[in-house]
Amino acid sequence: MADPAAPKRQPKQEQEQEQDPELESESETETESEPGPAPPGATSAEARWLATQRPSRIREVQAGRLAWARVDLLDVEEGGARALRDALEVFRVQVTYVPVGQPRHLIAALSSPGRAAGPVAPYVIIACHGDEGRILIPELAPEVARFQPFDGEMGPAEVRTHVRLPGSVVILTGCDTGDPELADAFLDAGASACIAPRGAPFGYASVFAPLFLFYELTELRTLEQAVARLRAHDDELSMWHIRTR
């Protein structure tokens, strides 16, 4: 497997995240000079060799794992989700792509019981449109809509009622889905973190933001460090916020 050799760029400045703990500054040893832990599955000789290479989660794939992370990608008629799936797979992330056409699909994908694909993944990306702290769901014909648990949008009340995400990191791409009430609802439903924009980013920014985050995670950054670097990139990406408990 080719070893990416491009040097890392340090962010121009650290930016404080609202209602989040301050992030400690990164030392050179955290980013460049220290070898990472032995990848799972590597023999002792291979682990010693891999430890001499530039640290990256890709080393785990080199050592035999099929992927270093699992993602459930929910496509709520957003438009860029298929491109996002292909790009995440380049990072050696295992992606379960779930097209969502009605509220029942969204509920089934966001609660482990009864899922044919198994438990909800550690990372859940909801590629969607949003408005005023609500996830917008495609309009349905009346004869179909009348059988749904709710219709038109998923807000905090619907999330608390129907969603169960034990420990998953939730990433939303829709406008205003970073509203604190919606984020707190996902945390109440069991998510360990919720990352989403407060504002109306361009559509291409909503595709790029998750890719940026997974690039940073692949580079062994913590989730908090990854979000800080995303927010420092430019004003468009500074809309994304993280909320945790």
Side-chain angles (χ1 to χ4, degrees):
M1 180 180 293
D3 180 14
K8 301 189 182 93
R9 276 193 315 144
Q10 298 295 329
K12 294 181 180 179
Q13 61 182 8
E14 294 184 4
Q15 296 195 7
E16 182 179 352
Q17 300 180 50
E18 292 183 19
Q19 300 181 358
D20 295 319
E22 289 189 5
L23 305 179
E24 296 180 0
S25 61
E26 299 177 44
S27 65
E28 290 185 3
T29 57
E30 289 174 318
T31 57
E32 296 280 355
S33 61
E34 291 294 328
T43 64
S44 57
E46 186 178 16
R48 287 194 297 271
W49 173 74
L50 288 171
T52 67
Q53 307 302 302
R54 188 171 69 78
S56 169
R57 297 300 299 268
I58 296 299
R59 303 302 175 204
E60 299 173 28
V61 180
Q62 285 181 289
R65 294 186 66 178
L66 297 179
W68 65 264
R70 289 191 304 113
V71 170
D72 286 343
L73 174 56
L74 281 51
D75 185 358
V76 193
E77 286 199 356
E78 187 272 338
R82 290 183 179 273
L84 182 56
R85 175 183 63 177
D86 290 343
L88 287 173
E89 288 175 346
V90 173
F91 293 139
R92 298 301 187 264
V93 171
Q94 179 182 330
V95 180
T96 299
Y97 173 79
V98 183
V100 173
Q102 51 181 274
R104 288 184 298 193
H105 294 156
L106 194 56
I107 292 172
L110 293 174
S111 56
S112 292
R115 276 174 48 99
V120 178
Y123 297 93
V124 176
I125 300 175
I126 305 177
C128 62
H129 294 290
D131 184 45
E132 296 183 349
R134 304 289 192 273
I135 296 169
L136 301 183
I137 301 173
E139 183 178 358
L140 299 173
E143 58 270 24
V144 177
R146 66 193 181 99
F147 297 110
Q148 305 296 320
F150 55 88
D151 188 29
E153 60 186 27
M154 174 185 272
E158 290 77 21
V159 170
R160 288 189 173 95
T161 300
H162 299 287
V163 173
R164 298 295 179 268
L165 296 170
S168 299
V169 174
V170 177
I171 303 168
L172 300 108
T173 66
C175 295
D176 297 319
T177 53
D179 181 86
E181 290 188 20
L182 183 62
D184 284 345
F186 276 105
L187 297 179
D188 290 343
S192 61
C194 184
I195 302 167
R198 297 180 192 171
F202 288 119
Y204 57 81
S206 291
V207 174
F208 181 66
L211 294 181
F212 192 114
L213 288 172
F214 273 89
Y215 172 82
E216 295 295 333
L217 294 174
T218 305
E219 291 289 280
L220 297 176
R221 240 75 75 181
T222 67
L223 187 65
E224 289 78 9
Q225 289 168 340
V227 174
R229 286 172 172 252
L230 173 73
R231 286 171 46 77
H233 186 74
D234 61 20
D235 290 342
E236 189 73 12
L237 297 180
S238 69
M239 296 184 197
W240 265 263
H241 293 255
I242 181 172
R243 285 178 76 86
T244 60
R245 287 274 167 81

